[in-house]
Amino acid sequence: MSSLLEKATAIPQETLLRWLQEYARRRGTGDGRSSGDLPLPVLKEKIARAHGPLVESVARKFLGTTEPLEDLAQEGYLGLLSALEYYDPSKGVRFSTYATHFISGAIRHFLRDRSRMIREPAWLQETSSRIERAIESLTAQLEREPTPSEIAAVVAIPVETVEETLASRNTFRVLSYDEVSQEENSDSTLDRLETVGESLMAVHVENRIVLRETMQRLRPFEQQVIYEFYFRNLNQTEIATKLGVSCNYVSVTLRKAVERLGKLMGEAEAYDRHRRRESSVLDSLTGLYTREHLHARLEEAVSRAVRAGMPLSLIQFQLLEVPTLSRAHDEVLEQCGSRLRSSIRRMDMAGLGEGNCLLAVLPNTGPQVELAANRLIKVLEDTRQSVHRSLRVVAGTAWHPEEARTAEDLLREAQRSLDEALQKDSRTAKAA
C-alpha cells in the first residue's frame, strides 16, 4: 500500500543489521538509551516496522483459514517481537530467516485458539483408546456390548471414569463418515449408517439443497452407492448384487465417497460462514467495518499491544460540509471509505464512527500517528475531485500506551482530540 508508514520499511540491510546488533547488545545490558542513540523501545519499533513486509508475507500463507489478514499480521508481529528478544547476530543467521519461524508459530497458535473444532484432551484420548480396545475385546468374547463395570474391570479404572469417558467421547465426536467399518455385516455399523441416512433425509430444506448440489460433484457410481445405502436403506450386499460388483468394492466406494462428500460440504459450509461473517461486519456502502465490529477489533488490538509491548494508535476523522441529500451523502461516504481503505496498511483497520465520522486503527504506530493523520486527511479531502463537492476533514488522534491504556480510553481521547481540532477549525474559519 502507499502508506507513509509502509514506505518507512525500505531500510538498507547494513542499517538494519546495525540496529539488530545494537538492540541485542543493549537488551543484554538493560541499557535503555545509549550515547545519543534512539531509546530502546523506539529502536524496537523501527526494527518491527522494517520487517512489516515479512510479517505480511507469512500471514498471507494462512488466508485460507478465513481469519482477516490484519488479525493474522498482528499475531505475526508478536512472533516477530519474540524472535527479536532471542536473536543473536553473532550466530551468523539472517534475522528474517530466524524470525519467520516465530512469526509462523505465533499465527498457528492464534489459529489453534480461534479454532471452532472442539479438541479432545490428550488424557481423554489415551483413556478412550484403552476403553475402545477393551470394548472390542469384550464384544468378541461376550458376543454383546459390555457393561461399564465389565470394561472397568479389564481396563483397571473406576466404573465412574469409564462412564464419564464414554459420555465425553460422544461430546467430542463429530459425526465421522470415514469410521464406517468395511465389515458389511456389522449390526452396529449398519445401525449407525442407517441413523445417518435418516438424519440426512430430515435435514432442513436449505441444507438438503446444498447436499444435492454437492452430490453432483461425485462420480455417478459414487452417487448411486450413496443413494442406495442412505436413501433406500439397502445394505452393502444388496447394493453389490444390484450393481453387479463385489461387496468389498461397494464398501471402499461408500467409505471414500462419503469422506469426500463430507469434505466438500465442509468447504461449502466454511465458505458460507465466511460470507455471512463478512456481510455482517462490513458496511455495504463504504466497505468499512461497522462501528460495533471495529470497537470489538480495537479491544483485541489493545490486548495484542499490551502483550507485545507495542504502541497502537487511533485516528477519528470528522467529515465536514458533507451534503445532506441522501444520494450525494452516500456518494461522498462511499468515496471516502474507498480512499481510506486503499491508503492504509494491510495490518491497519478502518471503520465507521458516529455520524459522518470514520475511524482508523494503526497497530505498531505511536507518536508518528500525527503524520499519518495529516496524510490521510489529504487523501480524504482529495475525494472532492471525484464527487465534485466541497469537503473538509478534521482529525483527532490518540495512542497507546502514553495517552490511553484501554480501548475505551483510546476512543475517549481521540474524541477529545477531535473536539479540540474542530474548535480550532471553527476559529480559523471565522477568522477567514
Side-chain angles (χ1 to χ4, degrees):
M1 294 297 173
S2 57
S3 168
L4 175 66
L5 298 179
E6 283 195 323
K7 291 180 181 178
T9 61
I11 306 298
Q13 287 298 317
E14 296 78 7
T15 303
L16 186 56
L17 180 59
R18 186 175 70 253
W19 284 355
L20 290 167
Q21 292 172 341
E22 178 71 5
Y23 185 85
R25 182 185 67 78
R26 293 164 61 185
R27 180 194 67 206
T29 60
D31 182 10
R33 185 183 293 271
S34 176
S35 62
D37 287 337
L38 294 172
L40 199 60
V42 176
L43 180 60
K44 181 179 182 180
E45 179 182 341
K46 282 183 170 292
I47 296 174
R49 289 171 56 199
H51 288 87
L54 173 64
V55 173
E56 182 171 332
S57 175
V58 176
R60 285 185 177 279
K61 297 178 182 179
F62 296 88
L63 282 178
T65 61
T66 73
E67 291 294 334
L69 178 60
E70 50 267 31
D71 276 6
L72 299 174
Q74 289 177 36
E75 291 297 329
Y77 271 108
L78 296 184
L80 177 70
L81 294 176
S82 296
L84 187 57
E85 295 303 317
Y86 293 101
Y87 179 64
D88 184 356
S90 64
K91 299 294 184 181
V93 179
R94 288 175 62 90
F95 178 72
S96 58
T97 303
Y98 183 78
T100 297
H101 300 285
F102 283 81
I103 296 169
S104 177
I107 295 175
R108 292 180 188 277
H109 183 76
F110 166 72
L111 293 175
R112 284 196 299 268
D113 290 344
R114 292 293 292 266
S115 174
R116 297 177 181 272
M117 182 67 71
I118 302 176
R119 300 186 181 277
E120 189 174 349
W123 67 267
L124 182 57
Q125 292 181 14
E126 180 181 355
T127 305
S128 180
S129 177
R130 292 170 57 195
I131 291 176
E132 190 69 34
R133 290 194 297 269
I135 291 175
E136 293 177 358
S137 176
L138 289 172
T139 300
Q141 296 176 16
L142 305 174
E143 297 183 352
R144 60 172 175 80
E145 286 287 333
T147 64
S149 58
E150 292 171 335
I151 298 173
V154 172
V155 183
I157 59 177
V159 177
E160 294 77 9
T161 302
V162 173
E163 294 174 343
E164 292 176 359
T165 302
L166 291 175
S168 300
R169 185 177 59 175
N170 292 332
T171 300
F172 284 101
R173 184 188 299 274
V174 178
L175 186 56
S176 177
Y177 294 115
D178 60 359
E179 292 180 353
V180 178
S181 172
Q182 295 190 22
E183 298 178 3
E184 62 200 52
N185 293 323
S186 170
D187 293 337
S188 61
T189 298
L190 290 177
D191 291 342
R192 183 165 64 249
L193 291 175
E194 287 171 2
T195 301
V196 173
E198 292 172 0
S199 65
L200 290 174
M201 292 296 291
V203 295
H204 192 275
V205 63
E206 294 180 358
N207 294 331
R208 196 177 301 179
I209 292 174
V210 174
L211 175 61
R212 184 183 300 112
E213 293 177 349
T214 309
M215 282 275 289
Q216 294 175 358
R217 298 174 63 180
L218 301 178
R219 292 187 296 110
F221 184 77
E222 292 175 328
Q223 295 180 31
Q224 187 171 6
V225 169
I226 289 179
Y227 174 74
E228 299 291 348
F229 192 92
Y230 288 110
F231 297 96
R232 300 195 63 187
N233 292 326
L234 299 182
N235 61 37
Q236 296 180 22
T237 302
E238 293 170 334
I239 297 173
T241 301
K242 181 177 181 178
L243 301 181
V245 296
S246 68
C247 292
N248 185 62
Y249 185 62
V250 170
S251 177
V252 172
T253 300
L254 181 64
R255 176 171 54 82
K256 291 184 176 180
V258 174
E259 179 181 359
R260 186 176 174 218
L261 182 64
K263 289 180 179 179
L264 292 173
M265 292 191 69
E267 292 172 0
E269 181 182 358
Y271 173 77
D272 185 60
R273 183 170 61 247
H274 178 62
R275 185 176 59 183
R276 290 198 304 270
R277 178 178 180 274
E278 288 297 316
S279 63
S280 64
V281 302
L282 295 179
D283 175 66
S284 59
L285 178 64
T286 63
L288 303 178
Y289 287 128
T290 62
R291 180 171 175 269
E292 295 76 12
H293 184 69
L294 186 71
H295 284 196
R297 297 289 299 279
L298 177 60
E299 292 182 353
E300 294 179 359
V302 170
S303 176
R304 292 191 186 96
V306 171
R307 281 186 285 149
M310 295 172 59
L312 172 75
S313 296
L314 175 67
I315 307 175
Q316 181 168 342
F317 303 95
Q318 178 71 54
L319 308 183
L320 303 176
E321 300 183 14
V322 178
T324 57
L325 294 176
S326 177
R327 184 173 180 179
H329 176 271
D330 290 351
E331 184 180 11
V332 172
L333 283 184
E334 182 180 7
Q335 289 293 326
C336 286
S338 175
R339 291 269 183 148
L340 183 58
R341 290 200 321 271
S342 63
S343 301
I344 60 177
R345 302 167 297 179
R346 286 285 187 179
M347 63 181 293
D348 298 334
M349 296 173 282
L352 298 176
E354 294 183 353
N356 293 324
C357 281
L358 304 180
L359 298 171
V361 180
L362 310 180
N364 198 31
T365 303
Q368 65 271 39
V369 64
E370 294 289 345
L371 295 176
N374 292 332
R375 182 187 66 83
L376 291 173
I377 287 175
K378 295 179 181 179
V379 168
L380 293 173
E381 289 184 340
D382 283 346
T383 58
R384 291 177 296 199
Q385 301 176 5
S386 58
V387 298
H388 306 291
R389 298 180 184 279
S390 62
L391 174 68
R392 290 188 299 112
V393 181
V394 178
T397 64
W399 68 283
H400 165 90
E402 292 297 324
E403 298 178 340
R405 291 284 179 176
T406 66
E408 289 299 323
D409 289 343
L410 279 170
L411 290 166
R412 190 180 304 110
E413 177 61 23
Q415 182 62 57
R416 186 199 62 77
S417 175
L418 177 61
D419 291 339
E420 290 184 355
L422 287 171
Q423 292 176 5
K424 181 179 179 181
D425 179 80
S426 177
R427 290 193 297 268
T428 302
K430 288 179 180 179

